[in-house]
Every structure is written in C-alpha cells, then in structure tokens.
Amino acid sequence: QVQLVESGGGLVQPGGSLRLSCAAAGFPFEYHAMAWFRKAPGKEREGVSCISSSTGNTYYRDSVKGRFTISRDNAKNTLYLQMDSLIPEDTAVYYCATDPVVNCYNLVTEAAGESKLDYWGRGTQVTVSS
C-alpha cells in the first residue's frame, strides 16, 4: 500500500516559517516526482510545488515563488516543504501527493482543482495568523 504521511503543520505568525515533511512508503520514492498541494477554506485544491524524480528540478506556483522551497531526501523517502515569509493567504491544509506520470509544470500552472494524482496523504494544517 502506498502511504504518504504529512507532518510539521501548525500555527505561525505572518512572516514566520514552517517546515513540512511527507514520509513516503510503499513505492519507489526515488523514481517518482513528488508534489505539495494545498486547500484553503472555501477554495479549490491547488498545486503548490513539485520536484522531479531524476533531475530534482523544482517547480513553484507563482504565489509562493521565493518563499517556499521544496526538497527531497531519497535515502529517507521523505519530501519537504520549507515555507518562509508566510502570509495569511498560505493558510490551508497541505497535502503531499504523487503518481507515476505527474507533470510538474502542469501541476503548478494549471487552474486550481485540475490536478488528479493517484496517491495522497491526509494533510497537515497550516495556519498563518497573528
């Protein structure tokens, strides 16, 4: 069974930072692109960031460029999202996700609600508020 478990969410003040983790199991992690999505209250789920498998190329939605950094540790089967300079609009449930044919470019550029990946975690809540 594919398993994706997010952690690291919490309450942070605007301008603060959080580091999300996604522990992966049940599939060849190093050969899968991995992605972070988020769903804010009342909004469609959107792709936030993506990292490719072979090259480690990274992709970001414009709204988080320069503030978020996606990375992976293949030895630990873990995906990370370092979030800096957080703003209230970042408040959402954050999910990690993957499938064998994920297109990172499309994921971070397509309209919210369009992505349909095979495997999802349960999510971790990020709240940015003073």
Side-chain angles (χ1 to χ4, degrees):
Q1 287 281 88
V2 170
Q3 184 178 20
L4 299 170
V5 181
E6 303 93 338
S7 62
L11 175 64
V12 64
Q13 294 183 330
S17 298
L18 285 173
R19 184 177 176 86
L20 305 184
S21 298
C22 173
F27 66 98
F29 177 82
E30 64 267 43
Y31 301 121
H32 282 65
M34 300 292 299
W36 287 100
F37 286 77
R38 67 185 181 186
K39 188 179 188 305
K43 299 180 68 177
E44 297 285 343
R45 182 178 61 198
E46 66 175 4
V48 175
S49 186
C50 190
I51 184 167
S52 66
S53 57
S54 59
T55 64
N57 290 344
T58 58
Y59 303 79
Y60 302 92
R61 189 167 290 272
D62 285 346
S63 59
V64 307
K65 283 182 179 178
R67 300 189 299 116
F68 290 10
T69 304
I70 190 171
S71 62
R72 64 193 297 159
D73 187 336
N74 289 339
K76 296 181 178 180
N77 285 358
T78 302
L79 174 73
Y80 302 99
L81 185 68
Q82 178 67 43
M83 304 186 295
D84 299 318
S85 301
L86 285 161
I87 59 177
E89 290 75 18
D90 295 320
T91 296
V93 177
Y94 284 72
Y95 303 87
C96 64
T98 190
D99 71 28
V101 293
V102 60
N103 185 311
C104 279
Y105 177 82
N106 289 347
L107 186 150
V108 301
T109 58
E110 66 192 357
E114 290 293 318
S115 296
K116 302 293 189 297
L117 275 65
D118 289 346
Y119 308 117
W120 297 84
R122 294 286 184 89
T124 185
Q125 176 70 50
V126 171
T127 302
V128 184
S129 177
S130 59

